[in-house]
Each structure stands twice: as C-alpha cells, then as structure tokens.
Amino acid sequence: MLADDPSLTVRWSELNQDTQALLDQQQLRQPLRVIVDSQNRVTPQHRLIDQPGETWLMRHQPDQQHWPERVSQIAVPLREQQLDLVAMMMLLGQRQVNSVWVEAGASLAGALLQAGLVDELIVYLAPKLLGDQGRGLCQLPGLDRLADAPGLIFRDVRQVGEDLRLTLTPQ
C-alpha cells in the first residue's frame, strides 16, 4: 500500500459505458476504506487521505497528526505483537460493517487465512511467469508439508481479459 500510494476509489470515468449508463456520476458512493496500519505508517500526505469517502485507520494506538474529518483512527488490541485481526473484525461488525473486500499483501492475506477470517478468495491469475523471486500470494508460517496446506474449493473460474479470475472458498 505504501509503495503504490493508491487512491482506493471507484473512478466513474474508468467504468465501461454500460455501467456509466446505469449510474449517475453524482450519485456514486465511494467505498469505506479500512486500512490495517499496525505501525502507523500511513500519513496525511498519502493519496487516499484526500479522496472522497471515509477512511478508517486500524491501529494499535492513534497518532497525534492532524487528520481530515473523514479519517478515523480506530484502536485495535494486539495479539502476539500484531493487530488482533479477530478483534478488528468484531470492531467492524459493531460499526455495521458486515462485508469486507480485502486487497492485501502476502503477510496480511496469510494472517487472515490462518485466523479463519476468509469466506471467499478472488484471485486473478495473469499469463505471466515471475520465477521463484516473484511475490507470493500469502505467507503461511509453519506450513512445512503439503498435507497441512489449507484446502480450497473452486466456485467459479472465468476469463477476464487476458487473466483468469478464480473464486475459491476454504474447505
């Protein structure tokens, strides 16, 4: 997230014409952005802070920087020196967030899987080979044997442009 500096918004101008015809640009509602920021590395200078819509920074301790009104810092307890992801999901539920779409790196993705917090995975597979130095999908510490690997069930496989979109659920 820090390297990409994404905006994490719906950009009406980039939607296809059929979708634009169904959705008035003035009525476009931006998604709630929930950022897991255990080390308080997101700053008011990051692009997503200036975007329309709310942003919630999930942190162990809020910082004292000046944040726009639409940005909230939410305290999440620690578990084994990391944000307690189960507690974080419970906090989201208490705030009426019942569905979460996660875009994550390998560490967070693996931690969510290991905590049993994933109902569905949507994985895009590009027709490219990155070799053995490519970034992994998820880190699963302690996984030493194939027999211990979490099982998944294919729910949908379809081609999207040149890529494949795999929809999977944990067994």
Side-chain angles (χ1 to χ4, degrees):
M1 211 269 335
L2 294 174
D4 294 345
D5 196 17
S7 58
L8 301 177
T9 57
V10 176
R11 290 171 289 284
W12 190 87
S13 62
E14 295 178 22
L15 299 173
N16 66 44
Q17 289 182 348
D18 292 338
T19 304
Q20 285 180 353
L22 297 171
L23 179 66
D24 179 13
Q25 185 174 5
Q26 302 306 316
Q27 294 178 340
L28 178 69
R29 188 176 69 100
Q30 293 297 334
L32 167 66
R33 293 175 296 274
V34 177
I35 311 299
V36 178
D37 186 23
S38 60
Q39 298 177 7
N40 291 18
R41 297 188 315 174
V42 174
T43 68
Q45 288 70 44
H46 281 95
R47 183 185 336 199
L48 66 92
I49 300 303
D50 288 329
Q51 301 303 313
E54 284 186 78
T55 300
W56 295 353
L57 301 174
M58 309 305 276
R59 300 171 152 187
H60 177 57
Q61 293 187 42
D63 66 25
Q64 300 306 311
Q65 296 189 66
H66 177 73
W67 295 95
E69 234 179 80
R70 65 185 170 278
V71 176
S72 299
Q73 297 183 79
I74 300 172
V76 178
L78 293 179
R79 183 170 190 221
E80 298 176 13
Q81 277 119 14
Q82 298 292 328
L83 292 184
D84 184 333
L85 298 176
V86 172
M88 182 184 77
M89 291 298 181
M90 291 175 69
L91 284 167
L92 290 174
Q94 290 168 0
R95 292 170 181 248
Q96 307 304 310
V97 175
N98 300 311
S99 182
V100 179
W101 182 294
V102 177
E103 184 175 337
S107 296
L108 180 57
L112 289 166
L113 282 165
Q114 288 188 312
L117 295 171
V118 176
D119 294 326
E120 179 179 74
L121 283 107
I122 300 174
V123 178
Y124 287 88
L125 179 63
K128 308 247 187 247
L129 295 175
L130 299 179
D132 65 344
Q133 300 300 309
R135 295 193 58 141
L137 176 64
C138 57
Q139 291 178 3
L140 298 172
L143 183 61
D144 299 321
R145 301 176 331 144
L146 184 57
D148 298 331
L152 301 169
I153 299 168
F154 285 103
R155 296 294 179 194
D156 186 51
V157 177
R158 68 180 64 190
Q159 189 162 356
V160 178
E162 293 182 1
D163 301 339
L164 285 181
R165 184 180 77 184
L166 311 174
T167 304
L168 308 117
T169 55
Q171 283 183 332

